[in-house]
Amino acid sequence: MIVTVTPAPGLDRTYTAAEFVIGRVNRAATSVVEASGKGVNVSRALAAAGAPSVAVLPLGGPEGRHLAELLAQEAVPFLAVQTDIATRTNTTLAVAGVPTTKMNAPSPELPGQVWIDLLAIVEDLLGQHPGAWMLCSGSVPVGADHLPADLIELARRFGARSAVDSSGGALEAALAAKPDLIAPNHLELADLVGQNANALDPDGRDAGGSSLVDLAAGWARTVSARIDGAVLATLGASGAVYADSSGSWHAIAPPIVPVNTVGAGDALLAGFLSVAGSTEPGHPAALGGALATAVAWGTSACAIPGTAGDVAAGADVGAVVVRRLQ
């Protein structure tokens, strides 16, 4: 069982277009509304693949009711904490041939009772499913930076494995609580070790000629030692690196022309957990197979226009190359 917690869910409206010009009226070719939030995306991908998962999230207002309806339509199991504060709406613009643009609404601050109720739901789920994974994923509303760390401690108390994909103060607090796994992108990973990945040249190399893969693997090993856990870092077109106390690995899929990269990191993490969540800790399949599946699912997600497609169905795990790094 994989329990996902999304502190700041949202409705995602995605527009696709052949072109976009700033300062004029643009016409979208399609407009789609989906239930969203990083943990929601992970649970959706897992549910589509038949992997057991429950999404836990706060919902409020008409937007929250709409989001719940969408999850029900997609047969994504979820448990919601109801609040009077409306769930946010985010906007994505996917234009052919250019990077995807996303505008996220701010996460509304929620009453403290919401987090108490949410922790109670997660506690009940972990009690029902020994050996589960607990994932806290996405941004955290103002005043709730403690939540990922609280969830890590809760998972530890029940013998569950914990994973975090967040940022800012919430991530720093989570690192101090020592989760079993964190899942940053390469920019977030670099920031954790005081580096600036934006300073790399167009080929992804630093001034000394080191590649993004080698740099990210080194950063991941540093953070892994800091938390006594594992790091799964997404590198965009360069695949992903994984590091734990036993070493580091790189996985990459054949190149594709992406349609929409939003949610690809969530799909990658879902792919990893779909394998790791069904094996005992330390089992070989929890690494090689999980890493290959992760990159295959992430690549598949880039080939569909939204975040609600069945990424497992389009994934080619056999095409992913996994190698151990020095």
Side-chain angles (χ1 to χ4, degrees):
M1 171 61 69
I2 299 155
V3 178
T4 69
V5 177
T6 305
L11 289 174
D12 255 15
R13 181 172 292 277
T14 299
Y15 298 101
T16 61
E19 63 173 0
F20 174 78
V21 179
I22 294 176
R24 81 171 198 193
V25 174
N26 293 273
R27 302 291 182 183
T30 64
S31 174
V32 178
V33 178
E34 300 167 330
S36 187
K38 293 180 71 63
V40 168
N41 294 340
V42 171
S43 279
R44 177 192 290 113
L46 290 167
S53 178
V54 177
V56 181
L57 66 169
L59 294 177
E63 295 84 353
R65 290 192 292 274
H66 189 187
L67 195 153
E69 292 168 358
L70 291 171
L71 290 178
Q73 290 171 13
E74 296 178 78
V76 178
F78 72 97
L79 294 170
V81 177
Q82 298 298 326
T83 173
D84 293 333
I85 299 174
T87 298
R88 64 180 178 160
T89 300
N90 305 317
T91 303
T92 299
L93 178 60
V95 180
V98 300
T100 302
T101 298
K102 189 171 178 64
M103 179 68 75
N104 286 346
S107 303
E109 184 174 0
L110 299 177
Q113 187 62 45
V114 168
W115 309 123
I116 294 172
D117 294 345
L118 186 146
L119 286 166
I121 290 174
V122 175
E123 180 175 4
D124 184 58
L125 287 169
L126 296 181
Q128 294 178 43
H129 302 282
W133 272 94
M134 185 291 304
L135 166 67
C136 182
S137 193
S139 61
V140 175
V142 174
D145 279 355
H146 59 87
L147 182 65
D150 291 347
L151 287 163
I152 292 166
E153 296 293 350
L154 184 61
R156 184 174 294 119
R157 180 149 52 91
F158 279 85
R161 289 170 280 179
S162 59
V164 174
D165 181 5
S166 192
S167 58
L171 178 58
E172 288 297 331
L175 294 179
K178 297 186 180 299
D180 294 292
L181 174 73
I182 65 167
N185 61 38
H186 73 283
L187 297 174
E188 294 163 340
L189 177 62
D191 188 59
L192 288 176
V193 294
Q195 300 296 317
N196 180 12
N198 286 315
L200 302 179
D201 69 22
D203 293 325
R205 295 183 179 274
D206 67 3
S210 297
S211 70
L212 173 59
V213 171
D214 290 334
L215 290 168
W219 300 336
R221 287 191 292 268
T222 297
V223 177
S224 171
R226 174 181 170 187
I227 65 172
D228 296 326
V231 176
L232 174 66
T234 58
L235 310 180
S238 295
V241 294
Y242 173 93
D244 62 17
S245 60
S246 63
S248 57
W249 289 259
H250 173 239
I252 190 167
I256 66 167
V257 177
V259 175
N260 178 18
T261 58
V262 173
D266 302 328
L268 185 144
L269 180 53
F272 184 89
L273 293 176
S274 73
V275 176
S278 62
T279 57
E280 293 297 321
H283 191 285
L287 180 53
L291 189 53
T293 303
V295 171
W297 284 29
T299 303
S300 173
C302 293
I304 57 180
T307 58
D310 185 351
V311 295
D316 186 355
V317 177
V320 177
V321 176
V322 179
R323 64 186 177 97
R324 182 164 187 159
L325 301 172
Q326 296 298 320

